[in-house]
Every structure is written in structure tokens, then in C-alpha cells.
Amino acid sequence: MAEYSPKVEFDADKNKITMDGEWVVLHCQHYNLGFVQMVLDAAEYLDGGKLMSDSAEVVALKQLENQPGGSPEEVLNIAAGMFTKLGFGSIDFSGVDESGGEVKVPHSHIGNGWGVKYDKPSKQPVDFLARGFIAGALAKAYGKPKGAYKVTQQSCIAQGAPASTFKVEVG
Amino acid sequence: MAIDQSKVIQGVHGLKLEGDSSGLIRRFGVLLNNNNVDYYNDFSFEFERAIIDSHGADFAPIARELLIYAAQDCANNTFFGIMSSDEYKGLVTPMIENEEDKVKGLVAVENALGWARVEFAELKPGEKLVLRSRGGYEEEGYRKRYGKSDHGVCYMLAGVTAGFMDLLYGPGIGPENLGTYKCEEVKCIAKGDDCCEFVATKR
Ligand SMILES: [Zn+2]
């Protein structure tokens, strides 16, 4: 099965890093969790988690567009490799198919990052990045448009769970 | 010796900043990730707009301040980790000959992260730092989405510029200094200026 093996290039004139032509930047959990904190603080009046997961879904779909296609299993294998290589964590799609199921994230930049940054566990699931990535990866795998899958995070490493879990339903 | 930026960039890129077997990039006391610029741009600009939609234009500066602060927090932690690392001490510290080089060393690392082409402009130690950038992902992304702006949009680069001053001239050690300085983006390519210009001064 094809593995995720992006062509990484650095344009020294522009200080631009691309992976298979897509501009990527390095950031730390402090920045990413700063964004998550903004979402939590604004929760009363806007669904920032949806904004964040929508952004991640669009990006996952776009980045997977550049990858070899094939069967859903092959696309999800590439997606899992991408998730790992980018430093998002590790991801297990074995419990999901076209009609939905569960996706497990045993390691997560956001979830594990929370424990490094904050003393207290989170009161709620916060991995909007993984949530959007999962929705995008499944849409690509099954040839569906953005928004085809509704992903709900059920447990989160940031809350002290051993792994983050996501329920997937056809949207 | 002065700061050899291309050598610093090569050094950082030589670290292979990719997920390990658990998909995490553990470096400099933080977790890093590589993410698409569209993710950051879509979220930050839409979040800013959503706050303005729900609270009115008076809240725009607050939304921007939050976005800047997230980056300042990042700079205080990640760049402190970088400055404290053996890699930095081995590669960059020997190139530092004067006060300006302390900033230029950090700017060289910043330029390795793929955010923009950042240049040192002016330093008054402890008082003021001016950096300029071109081709930043925020201004490019903003213009692509919304066209010309009436304000500077490079919140992340602004926060990082203030963070450099926190780290170099704050009273404490590392992230204890978070927020000692503030930064204003006085010129921005998204406004039609020839470059983005960041001025950090004491808060
Ligand atoms: Zn700008």
C-alpha cells in the first residue's frame, strides 16, 4: 500500500516550506492551544470549534487531493501517514467505514500539548484540529464533498483520557 | 562572525522536524506541528470577523490582541526553548558578537520556520525593536481572501516580535516575561505598503 511520502521543498528566497506544493509552517502547541483557548472563551456567542475544524477539514481535503488516490483504505492509510508526519499525532481509522463508526487518536499534538502547557485537565474535548482532519480524510476516502461526515469528539487526551475518540456519522 | 542566516536555516532544517513514531514533534521543550497556512489564515481571519459580527467593530482590536497574544506566548515558550537548546548554543551563540546579533539570531531561526522573509531593521536595547517582513503567510492569505485591508493583518508576526523583546529584555527568565512588550504593525503589505513593519516597545 502506498505510504505518505511528501516532496518537501524550501524556497530560500521566500523562506517558504512546501510539502507537495502546499505551503506549511511550523508552530508549537502554545500557539495552537492559544487558538483553542480563544475558542473556549468565546463559546457563549460563537462556535469557534466549528470554524477551526472546518478550516482543518478543508485543508485535509486539499492536501489529500495531491496524493495518490485508490481505495478508501489506501486514502486513509495516506491520511494517517500525513497526520503523523505533520506532527498532529497518531490516528487509527480501523473502526470506521463509509457509513461511520469511531476513529481513535492515541497521541495528539493538541491533546498531549494540553498536558505539557496546562496544570489542569481540560473540562471538554478540544481537538478541533483532529476533528476536522478526520472529516476531510473520510470525505476524500469515500469521494464525498466537505461536510459529508459529522465528527463529534467523545473523549480527549486533554481531559486525561488515554486516547482521544471521535464518533463519525454521515452528515 | 555575525549571524550567518543561511547556516542557521540549514541547521534548523537539518533537525528533521517531523512526527516521531507517535506522530509528535518533541523539540525545544515544546510540541511542534507542520500545518498548512490556509488552516491558520482561515481560522484567524474568520474568528476575528465572527467576533466583529457578534460584538461590533469596537471589538476588532480585542480580537486582534488575542491573536497577537497567542503568538507572543508561542515566542516566549518556543524561542526560549530554542535559545536554551544545545543546538542553538552550538550553532548560533558563537556567531553573536553584539546586541543586534541576539535579535538577528532569533530572526534567522524565525526565517527557518517558513512564516515569511523577516529582516532586522532597528534595535534600541530594552526599548524598541523594529523588524520588517515580506511574503508573510498572513498578509498573502488575507489579500487572497478579502483584498486590501485597512489595518495590519500579520498578527502572528507582531506577537513574535514582541515575544523576542520579552525574551531578551524582560525582567524574568524565559516565558515569565510574557507581555512585558507589545507590538504594533505600522506598515502592512495587505494595506498596500511596500513591506510589513513591526515595532515592539514596552507595554
Ligand atoms: Zn503585514
Side-chain angles (χ1 to χ4, degrees), chain A residues 69-133:
Chain A
S71 68
E73 291 72 27
E74 284 170 322
V75 173
L76 292 177
N77 187 56
I78 293 279
M82 182 183 285
F83 195 83
T84 295
K85 186 124 179 163
L86 296 178
F88 291 1
S90 57
I91 193 162
D92 176 3
F93 286 109
S94 63
V96 70
D97 62 20
E98 188 168 7
S99 60
E102 189 188 80
V103 175
K104 202 169 167 185
V105 172
H107 301 93
S108 145
H109 173 80
I110 296 293
N112 293 91
W114 184 284
V116 178
K117 183 167 177 60
Y118 302 116
D119 296 335
K120 286 185 185 155
S122 172
K123 293 194 180 101
Q124 61 261 298
V126 291
D127 206 341
F128 311 112
L129 172 65
R131 189 176 113 192
F133 185 91

Coordinates of all heavy atoms in Angstrom, one line a residue, chain A residues 69-133:
Chain A
G69 N -4.6 8.4 -5.3 CA -6.0 8.0 -4.9 C -6.1 6.5 -4.6 O -5.2 6.0 -3.9
G70 N -7.1 5.9 -5.1 CA -7.2 4.4 -4.9 C -8.3 4.1 -4.0 O -9.3 4.9 -3.8
S71 N -8.2 3.0 -3.3 CA -9.3 2.5 -2.5 C -9.4 3.4 -1.2 O -8.5 4.1 -0.9 CB -9.1 1.1 -2.1 OG -8.0 1.1 -1.2
P72 N -10.6 3.4 -0.5 CA -10.7 4.1 0.7 C -9.6 3.7 1.7 O -9.1 4.6 2.4 CB -12.1 3.7 1.2 CG -12.9 3.3 0.0 CD -11.9 2.8 -0.9
E73 N -9.3 2.4 1.8 CA -8.2 2.0 2.7 C -6.9 2.7 2.4 O -6.2 3.1 3.2 CB -8.0 0.5 2.6 CG -9.2 -0.3 3.2 CD -10.4 -0.3 2.3 OE1 -10.3 -0.1 1.1 OE2 -11.5 -0.4 2.9
E74 N -6.6 2.8 1.1 CA -5.4 3.4 0.6 C -5.4 4.9 1.0 O -4.4 5.4 1.5 CB -5.1 3.2 -0.9 CG -4.7 1.8 -1.2 CD -4.7 1.5 -2.7 OE1 -5.6 2.0 -3.4 OE2 -3.7 0.8 -3.1
V75 N -6.5 5.6 0.7 CA -6.5 7.0 1.0 C -6.4 7.2 2.5 O -5.6 8.1 3.0 CB -7.9 7.6 0.6 CG1 -8.0 9.1 1.0 CG2 -8.0 7.6 -1.0
L76 N -7.0 6.4 3.3 CA -7.0 6.6 4.8 C -5.6 6.2 5.3 O -5.1 6.8 6.3 CB -8.0 5.7 5.5 CG -9.5 6.2 5.3 CD1 -10.5 5.3 5.9 CD2 -9.7 7.7 5.7
N77 N -4.9 5.3 4.6 CA -3.5 5.0 5.0 C -2.6 6.2 4.8 O -1.8 6.6 5.6 CB -3.0 3.8 4.2 CG -1.7 3.3 4.7 OD1 -1.5 3.0 5.9 ND2 -0.7 3.3 3.8
I78 N -2.8 6.8 3.6 CA -2.0 8.1 3.3 C -2.4 9.1 4.3 O -1.5 9.8 4.8 CB -2.4 8.6 1.9 CG1 -1.9 7.6 0.8 CG2 -1.9 10.0 1.6 CD1 -0.5 7.7 0.4
A79 N -3.7 9.3 4.6 CA -4.1 10.3 5.6 C -3.5 10.1 6.9 O -3.0 11.0 7.6 CB -5.6 10.3 5.7
A80 N -3.4 8.8 7.4 CA -2.8 8.5 8.7 C -1.3 8.9 8.7 O -0.8 9.4 9.6 CB -3.0 7.1 9.0
G81 N -0.7 8.6 7.5 CA 0.7 8.9 7.4 C 1.0 10.4 7.5 O 1.9 10.9 8.1
M82 N 0.0 11.2 6.8 CA 0.1 12.6 6.8 C -0.1 13.2 8.2 O 0.7 14.0 8.7 CB -1.0 13.2 5.9 CG -1.0 14.7 5.7 SD -2.4 15.2 4.7 CE -1.8 14.7 3.0
F83 N -1.1 12.7 8.9 CA -1.3 13.1 10.3 C -0.1 12.9 11.2 O 0.3 13.9 11.9 CB -2.5 12.2 10.8 CG -3.2 12.7 12.1 CD1 -4.2 13.7 12.0 CD2 -2.8 12.2 13.3 CE1 -4.8 14.1 13.2 CE2 -3.5 12.6 14.5 CZ -4.5 13.6 14.4
T84 N 0.6 11.8 11.0 CA 1.8 11.5 11.8 C 3.0 12.4 11.4 O 3.6 13.0 12.2 CB 2.1 10.0 11.6 OG1 1.1 9.2 12.2 CG2 3.4 9.7 12.3
K85 N 3.2 12.5 10.1 CA 4.4 13.2 9.6 C 4.3 14.7 10.0 O 5.3 15.3 10.3 CB 4.4 13.0 8.1 CG 5.7 13.6 7.5 CD 6.4 12.6 6.7 CE 7.7 13.1 6.1 NZ 8.6 12.0 5.7
L86 N 3.1 15.2 9.9 CA 2.9 16.7 10.2 C 3.0 17.0 11.7 O 3.0 18.1 12.1 CB 1.5 17.2 9.7 CG 1.3 17.1 8.1 CD1 -0.1 17.5 7.7 CD2 2.4 17.9 7.4
G87 N 3.0 15.9 12.5 CA 3.1 16.1 13.9 C 1.8 16.3 14.6 O 1.7 16.8 15.7
F88 N 0.7 15.9 13.9 CA -0.6 16.0 14.6 C -0.9 14.9 15.6 O -1.7 15.1 16.4 CB -1.7 15.9 13.5 CG -1.8 17.1 12.5 CD1 -0.9 18.2 12.6 CD2 -2.8 17.1 11.6 CE1 -1.0 19.2 11.7 CE2 -2.9 18.2 10.7 CZ -2.0 19.2 10.7
G89 N -0.1 13.8 15.5 CA -0.3 12.7 16.4 C -0.4 11.4 15.7 O 0.1 11.3 14.5
S90 N -1.0 10.4 16.3 CA -1.2 9.1 15.6 C -2.7 8.9 15.5 O -3.5 9.4 16.3 CB -0.5 8.0 16.3 OG -1.0 7.9 17.6
I91 N -3.2 8.2 14.5 CA -4.6 8.0 14.2 C -4.9 6.6 13.7 O -4.2 6.1 12.9 CB -5.0 9.2 13.2 CG1 -6.6 9.3 13.2 CG2 -4.5 9.0 11.9 CD1 -7.0 10.6 12.6
D92 N -6.1 6.1 14.2 CA -6.5 4.8 13.8 C -7.9 4.8 13.2 O -8.9 5.1 13.9 CB -6.5 3.9 15.1 CG -7.0 2.5 14.8 OD1 -7.3 2.2 13.7 OD2 -7.1 1.8 15.8
F93 N -7.9 4.6 11.9 CA -9.2 4.6 11.1 C -9.9 3.2 11.1 O -10.8 3.1 10.3 CB -8.9 5.1 9.7 CG -8.6 6.6 9.6 CD1 -7.4 7.0 9.2 CD2 -9.7 7.5 9.8 CE1 -7.1 8.4 9.1 CE2 -9.4 8.9 9.6 CZ -8.1 9.3 9.3
S94 N -9.3 2.2 11.8 CA -9.8 0.9 11.6 C -11.3 0.7 12.0 O -11.9 -0.3 11.6 CB -8.9 -0.2 12.3 OG -9.0 0.1 13.6
G95 N -11.8 1.6 12.9 CA -13.2 1.4 13.3 C -14.2 2.2 12.6 O -15.3 2.4 13.1
V96 N -13.9 2.6 11.4 CA -14.8 3.5 10.6 C -14.9 3.0 9.2 O -13.9 2.4 8.6 CB -14.3 4.9 10.7 CG1 -13.1 5.2 9.9 CG2 -15.4 5.9 10.3
D97 N -16.1 3.1 8.6 CA -16.2 2.8 7.2 C -17.1 3.9 6.6 O -17.4 4.9 7.2 CB -16.8 1.4 6.9 CG -18.1 1.2 7.5 OD1 -18.9 2.1 7.8 OD2 -18.5 0.0 7.7
E98 N -17.6 3.7 5.4 CA -18.4 4.7 4.7 C -19.6 5.2 5.4 O -20.0 6.3 5.3 CB -18.8 4.1 3.3 CG -19.4 5.2 2.4 CD -19.6 4.8 1.0 OE1 -19.3 3.6 0.7 OE2 -19.9 5.6 0.1
S99 N -20.2 4.3 6.3 CA -21.4 4.6 7.0 C -21.1 5.2 8.4 O -22.0 5.6 9.1 CB -22.3 3.4 7.1 OG -21.6 2.4 7.8
G100 N -19.8 5.4 8.7 CA -19.5 6.0 10.0 C -18.8 5.0 10.9 O -18.3 3.9 10.5
G101 N -18.7 5.3 12.2 CA -18.0 4.5 13.2 C -17.2 5.3 14.2 O -17.7 6.4 14.5
E102 N -16.1 4.8 14.6 CA -15.3 5.5 15.6 C -13.8 5.6 15.1 O -13.3 4.7 14.5 CB -15.3 4.8 16.9 CG -14.6 5.6 18.0 CD -14.5 4.8 19.3 OE1 -13.5 4.1 19.4 OE2 -15.3 5.0 20.2
V103 N -13.2 6.8 15.3 CA -11.8 7.0 15.0 C -11.1 7.3 16.3 O -11.6 8.0 17.1 CB -11.6 8.2 14.0 CG1 -10.1 8.4 13.8 CG2 -12.3 7.9 12.7
K104 N -9.9 6.6 16.4 CA -9.2 6.8 17.7 C -7.9 7.5 17.4 O -7.2 7.3 16.4 CB -8.8 5.3 18.2 CG -8.6 5.2 19.6 CD -8.5 3.8 20.0 CE -7.9 3.6 21.4 NZ -7.8 2.2 21.8
V105 N -7.6 8.4 18.3 CA -6.3 9.2 18.2 C -5.5 9.0 19.5 O -5.8 9.6 20.5 CB -6.6 10.7 18.0 CG1 -5.3 11.5 18.1 CG2 -7.2 10.9 16.6
P106 N -4.6 8.0 19.5 CA -3.9 7.7 20.7 C -2.8 8.7 21.1 O -2.5 8.8 22.3 CB -3.1 6.3 20.4 CG -3.8 5.8 19.1 CD -4.3 7.0 18.4
H107 N -2.3 9.5 20.2 CA -1.4 10.6 20.5 C -1.9 11.8 19.7 O -2.3 11.7 18.6 CB 0.0 10.3 20.1 CG 0.6 9.1 20.7 ND1 0.5 7.9 20.1 CD2 1.2 8.9 21.9 CE1 1.1 7.0 20.9 NE2 1.5 7.6 22.0
S108 N -1.8 13.0 20.4 CA -2.3 14.2 19.7 C -1.5 15.4 20.1 O -1.3 15.6 21.2 CB -3.8 14.3 20.0 OG -4.2 15.7 20.1
H109 N -1.2 16.2 19.0 CA -0.5 17.5 19.3 C -1.3 18.3 20.2 O -0.7 18.9 21.2 CB -0.3 18.2 17.9 CG 0.3 19.6 18.0 ND1 1.6 19.8 18.2 CD2 -0.4 20.8 18.0 CE1 1.8 21.1 18.3 NE2 0.6 21.7 18.2
I110 N -2.6 18.4 20.0 CA -3.4 19.3 20.8 C -3.6 18.6 22.2 O -3.5 19.3 23.2 CB -4.8 19.5 20.1 CG1 -4.6 20.3 18.8 CG2 -5.8 20.2 21.1 CD1 -4.1 21.7 19.0
G111 N -4.0 17.3 22.2 CA -4.3 16.7 23.5 C -3.1 16.5 24.4 O -3.1 16.9 25.6
N112 N -2.0 16.0 23.8 CA -0.8 15.9 24.6 C -0.2 17.2 24.9 O 0.4 17.4 26.0 CB 0.3 15.0 23.9 CG -0.2 13.5 23.8 OD1 -0.8 13.1 22.8 ND2 0.1 12.7 24.8
G113 N -0.3 18.1 24.0 CA 0.2 19.5 24.2 C -0.5 20.2 25.4 O 0.1 20.9 26.1
W114 N -1.8 19.9 25.5 CA -2.5 20.5 26.6 C -1.8 20.1 28.0 O -1.6 21.0 28.9 CB -4.0 20.0 26.6 CG -4.8 20.6 27.7 CD1 -4.8 20.3 29.0 CD2 -5.8 21.7 27.5 NE1 -5.7 21.1 29.7 CE2 -6.3 22.0 28.8 CE3 -6.2 22.4 26.4 CZ2 -7.3 23.0 29.0 CZ3 -7.2 23.4 26.6 CH2 -7.7 23.6 27.9
G115 N -1.5 18.8 28.1 CA -0.9 18.4 29.4 C 0.5 19.0 29.6 O 0.9 19.2 30.7
V116 N 1.2 19.4 28.5 CA 2.5 20.0 28.7 C 2.3 21.5 29.0 O 3.1 22.0 29.8 CB 3.3 19.9 27.3 CG1 4.6 20.6 27.4 CG2 3.5 18.4 26.9
K117 N 1.3 22.1 28.5 CA 1.1 23.5 28.7 C 0.3 23.9 30.0 O 0.7 24.8 30.7 CB 0.3 24.1 27.5 CG 0.2 25.7 27.6 CD -0.3 26.3 26.3 CE -0.6 27.8 26.4 NZ 0.6 28.6 26.8
Y118 N -0.7 23.1 30.3 CA -1.5 23.5 31.5 C -1.4 22.5 32.6 O -1.2 21.3 32.4 CB -3.0 23.6 31.0 CG -3.3 24.6 29.9 CD1 -3.7 24.1 28.7 CD2 -3.1 25.9 30.1 CE1 -4.0 25.1 27.6 CE2 -3.3 26.9 29.1 CZ -3.8 26.4 27.9 OH -4.0 27.3 26.9
D119 N -1.6 22.9 33.8 CA -1.6 22.1 35.0 C -2.9 21.2 35.1 O -2.8 20.1 35.6 CB -1.5 22.9 36.3 CG -0.2 23.7 36.3 OD1 0.8 23.2 35.7 OD2 -0.1 24.8 37.0
K120 N -4.0 21.8 34.7 CA -5.3 21.1 34.9 C -5.8 20.5 33.6 O -5.6 21.1 32.6 CB -6.3 22.1 35.4 CG -6.1 22.5 36.9 CD -7.2 23.4 37.4 CE -6.9 23.8 38.8 NZ -7.6 25.1 39.2
P121 N -6.5 19.3 33.7 CA -7.0 18.8 32.5 C -8.2 19.7 32.0 O -8.8 20.4 32.7 CB -7.6 17.4 33.0 CG -7.6 17.4 34.5 CD -6.6 18.5 34.9
S122 N -8.4 19.5 30.7 CA -9.5 20.3 30.1 C -10.9 19.8 30.6 O -11.0 18.6 30.9 CB -9.4 20.2 28.6 OG -10.5 20.8 28.0
K123 N -11.8 20.7 30.6 CA -13.2 20.3 31.0 C -13.9 19.7 29.9 O -15.0 19.1 30.1 CB -13.9 21.5 31.6 CG -13.4 22.1 32.9 CD -14.3 23.1 33.5 CE -13.8 23.6 34.8 NZ -13.2 25.0 34.7
Q124 N -13.5 20.0 28.7 CA -14.2 19.4 27.5 C -13.2 19.0 26.4 O -12.0 19.4 26.5 CB -15.1 20.5 26.9 CG -14.5 21.8 26.4 CD -14.6 22.9 27.4 OE1 -15.6 23.3 27.8 NE2 -13.4 23.3 27.9
P125 N -13.7 18.2 25.4 CA -12.8 17.8 24.3 C -12.3 19.1 23.6 O -13.2 20.0 23.4 CB -13.7 16.9 23.5 CG -14.7 16.4 24.4 CD -15.0 17.6 25.3
V126 N -11.1 19.1 23.1 CA -10.6 20.4 22.5 C -9.9 20.1 21.2 O -9.3 21.0 20.6 CB -9.6 21.1 23.4 CG1 -10.4 21.7 24.6 CG2 -8.5 20.2 23.9
D127 N -9.9 18.9 20.7 CA -9.1 18.6 19.5 C -9.9 18.9 18.2 O -10.2 18.0 17.4 CB -8.6 17.2 19.5 CG -7.3 17.1 18.7 OD1 -7.1 17.9 17.8 OD2 -6.5 16.1 18.9
F128 N -10.2 20.2 18.0 CA -10.9 20.6 16.8 C -10.1 20.3 15.5 O -10.6 20.1 14.5 CB -11.2 22.1 16.9 CG -11.9 22.5 18.2 CD1 -11.2 23.3 19.1 CD2 -13.1 22.0 18.6 CE1 -11.8 23.6 20.4 CE2 -13.7 22.3 19.8 CZ -13.0 23.1 20.7
L129 N -8.8 20.4 15.7 CA -7.9 20.1 14.5 C -8.1 18.7 14.0 O -8.3 18.4 12.8 CB -6.4 20.4 14.9 CG -5.3 20.0 14.0 CD1 -5.4 20.8 12.7 CD2 -3.9 20.1 14.6
A130 N -8.0 17.7 15.0 CA -8.2 16.3 14.6 C -9.6 16.1 14.0 O -9.8 15.3 13.1 CB -7.8 15.4 15.7
R131 N -10.6 16.7 14.7 CA -12.0 16.5 14.3 C -12.1 16.9 12.8 O -12.7 16.2 12.0 CB -12.8 17.4 15.2 CG -14.3 17.2 15.0 CD -15.0 18.1 16.0 NE -15.8 19.2 15.3 CZ -16.3 20.2 15.9 NH1 -16.2 20.4 17.2 NH2 -17.0 21.1 15.3
G132 N -11.6 18.0 12.4 CA -11.7 18.5 11.0 C -10.9 17.6 10.1 O -11.3 17.3 9.0
F133 N -9.7 17.2 10.5 CA -8.9 16.3 9.7 C -9.6 15.0 9.4 O -9.6 14.6 8.2 CB -7.5 16.0 10.4 CG -6.6 15.3 9.6 CD1 -5.6 15.9 8.8 CD2 -6.6 13.9 9.5 CE1 -4.8 15.2 7.9 CE2 -5.7 13.2 8.7 CZ -4.8 13.8 7.9

